[in-house]
Amino acid sequence: MVIISLTYKKPIEEVEKHIKEHITFLEKYYSQNKFVFSGRKDPRTGGIILANNVTAIDASDIIKEDPFYKHQIADYEIIEFTPTKYDKRF
């Protein structure tokens, strides 16, 4: 599994200009069963994506398709991990 942490480096007004394209990007990878969840950070300084069945290298390639990446809206941190304990509801 991979956590992709986005941190905005542009004002929120710039983020909003590309949000529809970003959602389309997210939907592509949800439909491929690669994204498990995504959402905004609170406060709204970026977002988090949990990806399954991808490596850190795969995630690096995937984020290059994100409009936030293409338009230099956000910086990305990729954290690869192996879950060893989790709630059964998950």
Side-chain angles (χ1 to χ4, degrees):
M1 291 190 118
V2 175
I3 295 172
I4 304 168
S5 177
L6 292 75
T7 302
Y8 300 143
K9 56 184 183 179
K10 299 261 177 106
I12 201 69
E13 297 79 24
E14 204 54 37
V15 172
E16 289 294 335
K17 289 179 186 177
H18 301 282
I19 201 79
K20 285 184 181 181
E21 294 171 89
H22 176 68
I23 291 169
T24 299
F25 156 78
L26 293 172
E27 288 172 351
K28 174 183 177 180
Y29 287 98
Y30 276 109
S31 71
Q32 294 178 16
N33 295 317
K34 292 188 178 187
F35 288 175
V36 178
F37 66 73
S38 58
R40 297 175 178 170
K41 292 179 181 176
D42 187 13
R44 193 171 176 195
T45 58
I48 299 289
I49 301 168
L50 179 66
N52 192 28
N53 297 320
V54 299
T55 65
I57 293 168
D58 296 333
S60 293
D61 291 337
I62 288 169
I63 64 172
K64 290 177 184 168
E65 297 178 35
D66 188 352
F68 288 174
Y69 179 89
K70 291 178 180 179
H71 297 285
Q72 300 178 354
I73 302 297
D75 287 325
Y76 296 78
E77 179 183 8
I78 297 170
I79 304 163
E80 191 168 16
F81 74 102
T82 303
T84 55
K85 187 163 179 62
Y86 57 89
D87 188 294
K88 290 179 186 178
R89 293 171 291 178
F90 185 67

